[in-house]
Amino acid sequence: MDKVVHTQWVKSVKIWVDITNAPHAHFFKGIIRELEKRGHEVLVTTREFDGLTGILDMLGVDYYVVGKHGGATLEGKLLASSERMYLLSRLIIEEKPDMALYKHSAEAPRVAFGLQIPSIGFVDNETAIGQNKLILPYTKRLLFPKAIDAYELLKCGADPNGMRPINGFSELAHLYGFIPSKKPLKELGLHSHSYIVMRTEPIKANYFNGDAEKSVLENIIPLLPDIPIVLFPRTESQKKRFEHFENVIIPEHVTDSLSLLYYAKLMIGAGGTMNREALALGTPTISTYPGKLLAVTKWLIGLGIKFHSTDPLEVSEKAWELMRKNGTFRKHIRSIIGSMENPIDIFLKEIELYEEYGTFPVQEIAAESVDKK
């Protein structure tokens, strides 16, 4: 499922990639492989968080573990981020990379800025204001989905001359090298297109302002009693709240979630990443996120390929409808997704341009930014 444009670059460079969240491993795996194919040296840093090192091991990516996640409290986040920035600084001073790449990393842009290393960052969550204020002012080239109003990023300090909107969303990059496998289905005792995948709320995220003590999915599952549900909780407390449901299966170890999404009849998610991964694969998706919707989510809803509700009855009715007309709707999703830009291509092109000209070309962001109603 690759759609990567191959280019010939001017010279070999050393690229630093900072991966701070589990989905970012899938986002950068294709970029890392394509850089290596072109003869470039890639330095990957990460942190201890949410099974991230296990995912990188599964993907065959070499990395340095630098720091850890600070937990749900502001105090914990501040201390962990401060320590990680110090440790990263020492490593990067020694390694001397030519460029830094990251997605929503709070530390990498500041380290790169302090050491005068050109950087390319990807941001797709305009509601994470605190984090964005630590990222955008220090990012040389900012890539973002065109669904986001550029003004929201400018308010957080983005350089208007360094912004580049793309016609797509980040999870399209997750499909790099993807070949569907039925192995995870066999491990869980499932058959193709006979189950639903669910994902709980991102209760540890700094932008989450919902109720961390309950999930909207708890009231939806009883309305879907006759179909197996593969559920991905984010914490042990979330896991315990779903263990009593007879039709819920919770994987016990890191698994090939993309294959599970590919063969699923439906995805119902209270987060964002797995919802968009499902859509990238052509799987019908319902969002149940309880907070303010991201611009990307609104855009996908507007395109008619994604649905949103936090009302259990509405969700269950839509679920049965989508499962009835599954094949037709999959074709509709894939026809729209097929016209979008892949972030991998954009990253590689931007790196190539910088290496050739020593700067990033100025983009006309105002005309390309979507004005959301």
Side-chain angles (χ1 to χ4, degrees), residues 11-37:
K11 62 179 181 178
S12 175
V13 294
K14 185 174 185 177
I15 306 290
W16 166 34
V17 181
D18 191 37
I19 299 176
T20 58
N21 208 342
H24 304 176
H26 291 289
F27 179 82
F28 279 112
K29 65 186 176 186
I31 296 169
I32 292 169
R33 294 301 177 226
E34 289 300 317
L35 289 170
E36 290 174 337
K37 283 180 184 179

Side-chain angles (χ1 to χ4, degrees), residues 189-247:
L190 299 168
H191 300 286
S192 303
H193 309 300
S194 68
Y195 60 92
I196 295 172
V197 173
M198 290 189 177
R199 177 67 156 161
T200 54
E201 292 83 352
I203 60 174
K204 285 188 177 182
N206 66 347
Y207 56 83
F208 181 73
N209 56 9
D211 189 345
E213 301 302 320
K214 64 180 181 180
S215 171
V216 65
L217 300 178
E218 293 177 78
N219 295 321
I220 295 172
I221 291 172
L223 302 176
L224 302 167
D226 301 323
I227 185 166
I229 294 169
V230 180
L231 183 125
F232 288 90
R234 298 171 191 267
T235 65
E236 280 298 315
S237 63
Q238 285 182 333
K239 178 181 177 181
K240 290 177 181 177
R241 292 206 298 271
F242 290 93
E243 289 176 332
H244 69 281
F245 290 108
E246 293 184 0
N247 61 327

Side-chain angles (χ1 to χ4, degrees), residues 265-267 278-279 281-286 300-308 318-337:
K265 206 166 183 66
L266 180 68
M267 169 70 196
L279 286 176
L281 291 164
T283 300
T285 302
I286 302 173
L300 294 170
I301 292 170
L303 291 175
I305 59 174
K306 188 175 186 177
F307 303 91
H308 176 267
K318 193 65 183 181
W320 289 118
E321 176 191 339
L322 292 175
M323 287 189 285
R324 282 196 301 271
K325 56 182 184 182
N326 211 252
T328 303
F329 197 68
R330 283 174 185 271
K331 291 179 181 177
H332 174 62
I333 295 171
R334 287 170 179 164
S335 68
I336 292 176
I337 295 295

Side-chain angles (χ1 to χ4, degrees), residues 240-292:
K240 290 177 181 177
R241 292 206 298 271
F242 290 93
E243 289 176 332
H244 69 281
F245 290 108
E246 293 184 0
N247 61 327
V248 169
I249 302 167
I250 301 176
E252 293 298 326
H253 54 80
V254 174
T255 188
D256 181 359
S257 60
L258 286 178
S259 286
L260 285 170
L261 287 172
Y262 180 83
Y263 288 113
K265 206 166 183 66
L266 180 68
M267 169 70 196
I268 301 177
T273 297
M274 287 190 74
N275 287 350
R276 293 187 294 272
E277 284 180 334
L279 286 176
L281 291 164
T283 300
T285 302
I286 302 173
S287 164
T288 61
Y289 182 68
K292 181 181 178 182

Side-chain angles (χ1 to χ4, degrees), residues 290-323:
K292 181 181 178 182
L293 297 184
L294 297 182
V296 172
T297 300
K298 294 179 183 177
W299 178 56
L300 294 170
I301 292 170
L303 291 175
I305 59 174
K306 188 175 186 177
F307 303 91
H308 176 267
S309 176
T310 56
D311 179 86
L313 185 59
E314 284 184 0
V315 172
S316 65
E317 289 176 348
K318 193 65 183 181
W320 289 118
E321 176 191 339
L322 292 175
M323 287 189 285

Side-chain angles (χ1 to χ4, degrees), residues 1-7 9 29-35 37-38 172-173 175-177 341-349:
M1 293 193 176
D2 307 2
K3 289 177 63 178
V4 177
V5 178
H6 291 272
T7 57
W9 288 8
K29 65 186 176 186
I31 296 169
I32 292 169
R33 294 301 177 226
E34 289 300 317
L35 289 170
K37 283 180 184 179
R38 290 155 171 79
L172 294 173
L175 272 56
Y176 178 89
E341 292 180 307
N342 191 317
I344 297 176
D345 293 328
I346 308 304
F347 260 93
L348 295 174
K349 185 63 177 177

Side-chain angles (χ1 to χ4, degrees), residues 79-105:
L79 291 171
S81 182
S82 299
E83 180 181 19
R84 185 167 193 267
M85 194 163 72
Y86 169 72
L87 295 173
L88 273 178
S89 298
R90 296 191 62 175
L91 176 64
I92 299 307
I93 288 170
E94 181 180 339
E95 291 288 341
K96 296 179 173 59
D98 299 294
M99 182 174 288
L101 311 181
Y102 46 83
K103 181 178 187 288
H104 281 285
S105 167

